[in-house]
Amino acid sequence: NWRFVGDDAAIPADGPVTVSLKRWLGEGEILRGRNEPVGVRLKNDEAAQALAGTDLHQLAVIEVEFPKFTDGRAFSQARLLRDKLGYKGEVRAVGSILRDTYAHMIRCGIDTVELPEGAAADGYLDALKEFSAWYQPASDGRVTVLELRHAANANKKGGAAQVSQTVAAHSA
């Protein structure tokens, strides 16, 4: 039920809306006064850091745009929003969303995707089950293969209780 409202369109009186970064930076005070949720859509060439110093915590959603499947700058935007700016709200991917990149989107801090027209959600959900081990640390906090190896080595040396607590803390 979210609607993206272009820069030249009037903001509707009711319902949740997303606006451009330019509009948020220019009309943020007015938008924050609405009694409806507000979000921002970041184009792939806009810096996520532009939201630092604004009332980031008041945004219900931040949409990161994938204009074509060969452009992955929105992955970096999502990581910056989560890891550097501490954004806790919803990060949504919009645009050219491929099933093959969905698991990586989740790892980068993207919570939801606006599926392309005609795409079946089942395929995207299946993509989340394809990998069970991760080599790189990411925003989702999953235990990496290196951490698992260290845990296994510590377990061999008698530190099983500590290892179990460490792995459980990272897996949650």
Side-chain angles (χ1 to χ4, degrees):
N1 59 352
W2 285 87
R3 289 181 280 178
F4 176 74
V5 181
D7 290 344
D8 55 346
I11 301 288
D14 61 342
V17 297
T18 57
V19 297
S20 69
L21 175 63
K22 176 183 173 185
R23 192 164 195 174
W24 173 252
L25 295 175
E27 300 175 33
E29 191 171 323
I30 296 166
L31 292 166
R32 284 188 289 277
R34 294 180 80 232
N35 288 327
E36 297 285 348
V38 177
V40 167
R41 178 173 292 183
L42 285 176
K43 292 183 180 179
N44 67 329
D45 61 351
E46 294 175 325
Q49 296 90 329
L51 289 168
T54 66
D55 290 329
L56 183 64
H57 64 281
Q58 290 187 354
L59 293 171
V61 65
I62 298 176
E63 296 176 341
V64 292
E65 193 174 70
F66 289 84
K68 54 186 176 179
F69 73 91
T70 58
D71 191 331
R73 290 180 278 185
F75 289 112
S76 298
Q77 289 173 322
R79 273 304 289 269
L80 289 168
L81 287 167
R82 295 290 188 210
D83 298 343
K84 301 289 185 209
L85 300 177
Y87 181 67
K88 302 289 185 211
E90 178 184 345
V91 176
R92 177 182 303 146
V94 298
S96 182
I97 310 298
L98 296 180
R99 174 204 182 281
D100 296 349
T101 60
Y102 186 50
H104 188 60
M105 288 179 180
I106 300 299
R107 301 235 43 232
C108 289
I110 294 171
D111 300 303
T112 59
V113 295
E114 188 176 286
L115 294 179
E117 190 82 25
D122 293 347
Y124 287 82
L125 295 174
D126 289 342
L128 296 177
K129 301 173 192 168
E130 291 177 349
F131 296 99
S132 61
W134 308 97
Y135 286 92
Q136 301 86 7
S139 294
D140 66 0
R142 292 183 192 222
V143 178
T144 65
V145 170
L146 182 61
E147 290 168 323
L148 291 172
R149 285 183 186 155
H150 285 303
N153 288 337
N155 193 18
K156 289 178 188 175
K157 295 176 183 175
Q162 178 63 34
V163 170
S164 295
Q165 291 173 356
T166 302
V167 171
H170 284 88
S171 298

